[in-house]
Structures are given as structure tokens and as C-alpha cells.
Amino acid sequence: MKRSLILGAALAAAATMALAQGPGYGPGYGPGYGQGRGMMGGGYGPGLMGGGGALAALNLTDEQRDKVSAIQEEHRKKNWTAMGEVRSEQFKLRNMYRGDQLDADKIAEQQKKVDALRQQMLKSRVEAHNQIAAVLTPEQRKQLRQYAPWWSGEAEE
């Protein structure tokens, strides 16, 4: 009996800690709203550079690594506010769906706000992609396509 109580308390504590940590997206995967795997790792994983990312396998020079890191940091700063706004607008949208009577026009307008913010972030990711590609040699870009087919949009089937 005592063992069951201790086990139950341990499981309850573990569940509470897991929930407090927030969503558990895997490396390079976004929360399912259009980020997915992408050039910057979708904003949640190790991205291209760290933790076994695709660029880590290219033997970048120190200068290239510094340039890519600067581009990634600029991209992160540029989109930090937009990411917060996306979450805020999504929260509003979710609440609209919880009502008894759904207003199609209001929901469609709110979805447009979310989509516009996502589009802004997508444009920024493509710009950062192009900046990073310009730092790489042609051989490194070729290698990168082998490690990460999504880099050039040529996913393997």
C-alpha cells in the first residue's frame, strides 16, 4: 500500500513537471503551424548549425561559421516579435472556436491575421536561407543538399 502511494506521488510529480515544460517538439520540428523542418530547424530544434545540424557536417571555416551564426541571430531577432504575435493571434482564434455560436466572418478575419504573420516569417526564413547559401561554396551547397534535401526544395521521394 505504502509503495503504491509513493509510486502514485512520483508519477503525479513527473506528469506535472512534463506539463510545465511545455510542448515536446522533436529536433527541427515546429509546433505544426507551418514551420516544420526548415532552414532554421523550425525554430525549436538544433537548426542547421548545432547538435548534428546539416551545416555542422560541412566543415565550415571559422569565418563562414561566424557569418552563418550572425545571419541566424539576425533572423531570430527579426522574428522574435512576430513569433509572439502569432501565438497571441492563435490564442484569440482558438477562443473564437470555443463559443457556442461561431462567427464565420470573425474567424476568417482572425485567421487572416495569423496567416499574414506566418507569411512575414516565411519571407524572412527564405531571405536568411539565401544569405546563408551565399556564404557557402558551391561544393558545400552540393553537400548540404545531400545532407538536407529540404535545403534546396528537392526532397527525396
Side-chain angles (χ1 to χ4, degrees):
M1 177 71 171
K2 193 174 186 181
R3 254 188 170 151
S4 296
L5 288 175
I6 292 172
L7 179 61
L11 288 174
T16 302
M17 287 188 290
L19 290 173
Q21 290 178 0
Y25 308 119
Y29 290 95
Y33 54 84
Q35 290 202 14
R37 274 200 181 271
M39 189 213 49
M40 304 304 286
Y44 285 97
L48 287 173
M49 289 289 285
L55 284 176
L58 298 181
N59 297 321
L60 300 177
T61 66
D62 289 340
E63 182 182 355
Q64 285 176 312
R65 194 172 294 108
D66 291 345
K67 286 180 180 178
V68 169
S69 292
I71 292 166
Q72 289 177 326
E73 179 63 10
E74 176 188 341
H75 171 75
R76 184 195 62 78
K77 285 180 182 178
K78 184 176 179 180
N79 286 298
W80 190 256
T81 302
M83 285 189 288
E85 290 175 17
V86 165
R87 290 192 183 275
S88 178
E89 297 302 328
Q90 284 178 318
F91 176 78
K92 292 175 189 175
L93 184 61
R94 278 192 306 272
N95 282 337
M96 288 178 169
Y97 278 107
R98 290 188 179 124
D100 288 336
Q101 192 70 24
L102 302 181
D103 186 328
D105 292 331
K106 286 184 180 178
I107 288 173
E109 274 305 306
Q110 187 62 29
Q111 184 65 55
K112 284 181 186 177
K113 291 178 186 178
V114 173
D115 292 344
L117 289 165
R118 288 181 185 162
Q119 207 169 30
Q120 173 187 333
M121 291 173 30
L122 172 68
K123 182 179 177 188
S124 176
R125 279 194 301 272
V126 171
E127 290 168 353
H129 172 283
N130 290 338
Q131 290 174 340
I132 291 173
V135 170
L136 303 177
T137 66
E139 179 61 31
Q140 287 171 325
R141 283 192 295 271
K142 182 179 176 184
Q143 288 175 342
L144 188 56
R145 282 190 296 273
Q146 291 172 346
Y147 291 121
W150 46 263
W151 174 260
S152 64
E154 302 170 4
E156 293 177 1
E157 296 181 22

